[in-house]
Amino acid sequence: MKKEKGYWRIVIYTLLGIFTYGYLAYQLITFDSYHLFLQHLSNNDYHTWIYLFIAILLFPLNMLFESLRWQSLITPFYPLSLSNAQRQVYRGAVGGFITPYRLGEIPTRLLAYPRSFWTIGLTVGIIGSLWMTWINILLGTPAAIAYLAHHNNTLLYLSITIGGIGGILLICTPFLLNRLSKRQWKNTRLQSYFTSFNNYSIQQIATVGGWTICRYLCYCTQLYFILCFCGIQLDMANYLIGISLYYLLVTISPSAPIIDVGIRGSWAIWLFNNMAPNNTPNIMCTVILMWIINTAIPVIIGTLIKKNE
């Protein structure tokens, strides 16, 4: 049975890889304005390069937010300094890079702890991941409706309403999780999962959510500056809609290391090319730069960090 599941997983990822990279190849081959893209890069003045410089400067801030989030998640169980949290986050980037859905990220971080803590640690890691998924859904859903609305005022008002509801739900999430942790669940897995919240106060749950929001905003800001650097010109409303929807689409898409860039590139080209037509290479350049800054660099740093905890 396990072999059969493994076979179908390989088939699905293979087909997904063929589709995503096939779509990218088609878009890049049929694009006929490469001279404009090269002209844009060659004509970039120092003001334009500042956009890229700011995006790179946001990288350590992004990793700091993730380290603070990880520290907030672990501290109720183990004392964890910020420097050690940063080491574990960078090592986890290596484990996440080589596994589908970044499933190896949290287990790699947990190698610094006793084996008896691993089960609890995995649950703690899931809490952090769910926070990010929850934020992507709450902010990406109204963006999706606004993207479909165009000049439809009804849909536009609906997106604003859902965005407001999403903001209220974000504020209420710590209180909701605290209540759920005190409930008795018939399902043993749910009981085990929500019991782990008993170690957190409402303030601690809110702190984890706060650092997660900071990291999400950092990702969005980075993408904004790199889009500007690559010459994707939109008004601010479309930047906000496009970036929020892009991260939602990436979050809900299946992924694996070998097809990660392809999936991100396919969604970005489909989304931003509709907003700013005839910019395929610029958009692909944006995706690659984001991948280098937020995926490749942490992995390289993670391989260089020595164990010192």
Side-chain angles (χ1 to χ4, degrees):
M1 188 68 179
K2 289 184 179 180
K3 288 184 178 180
E4 186 177 342
K5 287 184 178 179
Y7 168 78
W8 283 111
R9 187 178 293 113
I10 292 171
V11 170
I12 291 170
Y13 280 124
T14 301
L15 292 175
L16 193 58
I18 292 172
F19 173 77
T20 53
Y21 284 111
Y23 176 74
L24 283 180
Y26 170 77
Q27 290 289 340
L28 293 171
I29 290 170
T30 56
F31 183 77
D32 58 1
S33 299
Y34 281 101
H35 63 285
L36 296 177
F37 172 61
L38 296 174
Q39 183 180 353
H40 165 75
L41 291 180
S42 63
N43 291 340
N44 277 351
D45 55 21
Y46 75 94
H47 290 102
T48 307
W49 284 95
I50 287 175
Y51 292 135
L52 180 60
F53 183 65
I54 294 173
I56 294 172
L57 285 180
L58 286 171
F59 158 70
L61 185 63
N62 192 343
M63 298 305 288
L64 174 63
F65 288 147
E66 177 59 20
S67 300
L68 288 166
R69 182 172 75 145
W70 180 244
Q71 183 186 39
S72 300
L73 285 166
I74 294 296
T75 299
F77 302 93
Y78 274 94
L80 179 63
S81 66
L82 181 58
S83 60
N84 282 336
Q86 288 178 310
R87 291 191 187 95
Q88 292 168 18
V89 166
Y90 279 111
R91 290 201 204 107
V94 180
F97 180 72
I98 60 176
T99 53
Y101 284 104
R102 302 181 65 87
L103 291 174
E105 183 171 9
I106 300 303
T108 305
R109 294 182 188 182
L110 293 174
L111 292 176
Y113 299 92
R115 189 182 293 268
S116 58
F117 178 67
W118 288 2
T119 301
I120 298 174
L122 286 172
T123 304
V124 165
I126 291 172
I127 293 171
S129 298
L130 286 179
W131 254 119
M132 182 61 84
T133 303
W134 184 231
I135 290 169
N136 271 296
I137 291 172
L138 289 181
L139 299 182
T141 301
I145 297 172
Y147 177 78
L148 296 172
H150 295 293
H151 300 292
N152 187 319
N153 289 334
T154 302
L155 285 178
L156 190 58
Y157 293 144
L158 177 62
S159 70
I160 295 172
T161 303
I162 292 178
I165 294 172
I168 295 171
L169 285 174
L170 274 178
I171 296 172
C172 294
T173 296
F175 302 94
L176 177 63
L177 291 176
N178 185 263
R179 289 291 297 271
L180 291 174
S181 67
K182 295 177 172 57
R183 179 179 172 179
Q184 294 297 318
W185 297 86
K186 294 181 180 180
N187 186 299
T188 54
R189 287 187 178 181
L190 285 176
Q191 182 64 44
S192 174
Y193 174 70
F194 282 110
T195 298
S196 62
F197 282 100
N198 288 329
N199 293 282
Y200 299 97
S201 64
I202 292 176
Q203 183 179 356
Q204 287 172 319
I205 296 173
T207 299
V208 174
W211 292 128
T212 306
I213 292 172
C214 287
R215 195 178 191 206
Y216 175 83
L217 293 176
C218 195
Y219 272 128
C220 292
T221 307
Q222 276 184 309
L223 183 53
Y224 165 73
F225 281 115
I226 294 181
L227 284 168
C228 292
F229 170 75
C230 291
I232 310 299
Q233 297 180 354
L234 302 169
D235 58 62
M236 187 53 68
N238 278 326
Y239 274 125
L240 293 173
I241 292 169
I243 290 171
S244 298
L245 179 54
Y246 169 73
Y247 280 123
L248 173 64
L249 293 172
V250 169
T251 298
I252 63 176
S253 299
S255 184
I258 196 171
I259 60 174
D260 187 52
V261 176
I263 287 175
R264 291 173 182 271
S266 296
W267 280 128
I269 289 173
W270 174 80
L271 178 61
F272 291 109
N273 239 0
N274 286 327
M275 292 180 157
N278 208 29
N279 278 301
T280 299
N282 309 55
I283 296 168
M284 199 61 216
C285 180
T286 299
V287 173
I288 292 172
L289 285 173
M290 284 291 291
W291 184 86
I292 291 172
I293 293 171
N294 290 324
T295 301
I297 293 177
V299 169
I300 293 170
I301 295 174
T303 59
L304 297 176
I305 289 179
K306 295 180 180 180
K307 187 173 181 180
N308 183 28
E309 299 171 71

